[in-house]
Amino acid sequence: MTKKVGVAILGLGVVGGGTYETLVSHHDFYLATQQVDITVEAVLDKNLERLRSLKVADEIIANSIEEVIANPNVDIVIETIGGIGVAKDFVTKALREGKTVVTSNKELICKYSHELEKIARHNHCGLYYEASCVGGVPIIRTLLDGVQANHIQRMMGIVNGTTNYILTKMANEGADYQEVLKEAQKLGYAEADPTADVDGFDSTYKLSILSSMAFHTKIPYTKIFREGISKIDTCDIAYGKEIGYTLKLLAIGKRNENAVEVRVHPTFIPSSHPLASVNDSFNAVYMTGDAVDDVMLYGRGAGALPTASAVVSDVIYAATHSEIRYSTFKNNATAETNVKFISDFTSAYYMRLSVEDKAGVLAKITGIFAKNNVSIVEITQRMDKVEEGRLPLIIITHQTKENSVKSAVAKINASGIATVESLIRVEA
Ligand code: HSE
């Protein structure tokens, strides 16, 4: 039996516009394959020129959120505005009216899913957000369905296209960070404020959502260790490459019993790792479950149609399931008291030091590492790069506590014999 579903789209920018076009162009396909007759009953966007370019009929252009939610033909409200100002207000109003909401808004879900889901439950409507993380890659559905038989032990994701594009260009062309950032902005990958991408906030929001689902407990984004890519020097990418590493901005989540480790930072991974070949603006999430072992999902994490694919899949899901699905964690927006967040995590490290080329320097440096319990795997003096009596020293450590490494770095910098120019974590 065919089910009739009316939707409203709030915000017809890149994602909202792509969603509108997909719903219109695929209408008959969804009718034939899912027996669902989805019509766009209302759109809300101040940019009339944009609505004209999308050929939106005048009669479905609404003037206010009140008009949208009062429309009895609207069953599902799609929020593709972004941010947490107006979007939060509109989503709250729609849920209070009992309308199911589908959103692509990672910041909103990361910060307010608990509050919004409570309103949804109270009003017997759904809140779905596949498009909030990793664009068209069906990661949320996979976490909720595909790997639900597992305890997820670890996830590592390349969840930001802008930074992956920048790091790929820096690696392949030896290009400078600032130069490539400008290109990424021109291509429209970057957020309106690119610091959200390059300083790792965007990845942090996504990791908060994904790790909360994977670990069945709310992981507040404030608990996530964050370091962006803006200080990455192209020379480190090249040195890493020579010793078999590829640099990626990784969102890492690990759970062992009640201990959780969550961090976003530039990471060297072996060039043979599947994530190392995820290039340009592509995204991927690699996770390990106790039964399934390793699983990797790969695809486009941004863009009009890839993100619309995720939005529309939520619309179809909501339209074809009578049972509403809520999150798998019950704790509120703060972390559960029995979950311990590990800030002094363990990792291997890559370091580049600038040292004077003279007797005794190496002994002093290794002495400081030894005193701080930092064990070295490999040390390379780049004699081919001597400049004004100084040269780069590349050091790779064994698995070490973050605080031990930081303490050794502070002592080396204070000693006057060397400067630690870069410190990059290494994951296997
Ligand atoms: N700015 C984001 C990215 C867009 O670069 O991946 C999708 O969230």
Side-chain angles (χ1 to χ4, degrees), residues 298-341:
Y298 166 91
R300 293 208 175 270
L305 295 182
T307 314
S309 159
V311 170
V312 175
S313 91
D314 271 349
V315 171
I316 296 172
Y317 182 93
T320 54
H321 288 73
S322 48
E323 279 283 304
I324 300 163
R325 179 150 66 181
Y326 299 109
S327 4
T328 57
F329 47 91
K330 304 279 179 281
N331 52 316
N332 62 25
T334 55
E336 267 179 87
T337 46
N338 66 336
V339 171
K340 185 171 173 275
F341 283 88

Side-chain angles (χ1 to χ4, degrees), residues 14 162 181-192 197 281 302-304:
V14 175
T162 304
L181 171 62
K182 275 192 207 125
E183 264 181 64
Q185 283 174 298
K186 258 193 233 151
L187 286 167
Y189 298 144
E191 296 291 305
D197 296 300
S281 65

Side-chain angles (χ1 to χ4, degrees), residues 106 132 134-135 159-163 189-191 197 202 206 283 301-302:
K106 64 213 146 194
S132 67
V134 207
V159 296
N160 181 271
T162 304
T163 48
Y189 298 144
E191 296 291 305
D197 296 300
D202 179 80
K206 291 169 183 163
N283 285 194

Side-chain angles (χ1 to χ4, degrees), residues 175-420:
D176 172 64
Y177 167 76
Q178 285 297 344
E179 196 183 306
V180 195
L181 171 62
K182 275 192 207 125
E183 264 181 64
Q185 283 174 298
K186 258 193 233 151
L187 286 167
Y189 298 144
E191 296 291 305
D193 171 6
T195 56
D197 296 300
V198 298
D199 289 340
F201 291 101
D202 179 80
S203 298
T204 304
Y205 296 153
K206 291 169 183 163
L207 180 61
S208 163
I209 298 170
L210 296 179
S211 58
S212 297
M213 297 199 135
F215 302 148
H216 305 285
T217 186
K218 178 73 188 178
I219 308 290
Y221 75 100
T222 47
K223 294 279 184 191
I224 300 177
F225 172 91
R226 178 186 54 79
E227 193 180 289
I229 65 159
S230 55
K231 293 200 177 71
I232 294 293
D233 193 318
T234 309
C235 79
D236 287 311
I237 302 182
Y239 289 143
K241 207 171 178 179
E242 287 177 34
I243 50 176
Y245 291 130
T246 300
L247 189 72
K248 295 291 176 193
L249 180 70
L250 288 194
I252 301 170
K254 296 181 185 177
R255 177 161 194 170
N256 185 5
E257 304 287 334
N258 284 334
V260 169
E261 197 180 303
V262 268
R263 43 196 168 102
V264 167
H265 52 67
T267 314
F268 270 131
I269 45 175
S271 298
S272 55
H273 192 286
L275 285 174
S277 47
V278 176
N279 286 321
D280 300 316
S281 65
F282 278 92
N283 285 194
V285 179
Y286 184 93
M287 57 193 158
T288 309
D290 59 349
V292 70
D293 204 351
D294 294 338
V295 172
M296 183 161 123
L297 273 84
Y298 166 91
R300 293 208 175 270
L305 295 182
T307 314
S309 159
V311 170
V312 175
S313 91
D314 271 349
V315 171
I316 296 172
Y317 182 93
T320 54
H321 288 73
S322 48
E323 279 283 304
I324 300 163
R325 179 150 66 181
Y326 299 109
S327 4
T328 57
F329 47 91
K330 304 279 179 281
N331 52 316
N332 62 25
T334 55
E336 267 179 87
T337 46
N338 66 336
V339 171
K340 185 171 173 275
F341 283 88
I342 301 173
S343 54
D344 188 16
F345 51 82
T346 301
S347 175
Y349 292 80
Y350 160 102
M351 274 175 259
R352 174 170 53 87
L353 281 64
S354 164
V355 300
E356 260 188 85
D357 185 15
K358 66 175 189 192
V361 167
L362 215 51
K364 282 186 193 145
I365 293 169
T366 51
I368 293 175
F369 279 125
K371 268 197 198 122
N372 287 276
N373 277 327
V374 179
S375 173
I376 294 167
V377 173
E378 192 177 314
I379 189 158
T380 315
Q381 299 190 79
R382 295 300 303 240
M383 298 311 296
D384 54 328
K385 303 280 181 196
V386 180
E387 257 180 45
E388 294 170 9
R390 296 185 77 84
L391 66 131
L393 198 67
I394 310 296
I395 294 175
I396 306 287
T397 74
H398 275 292
Q399 291 288 319
T400 307
K401 289 272 184 200
E402 172 88 3
N403 288 348
S404 307
V405 170
K406 286 203 168 143
S407 147
V409 166
K411 286 186 183 114
I412 290 169
N413 285 338
S415 73
I417 50 168
T419 321
V420 180

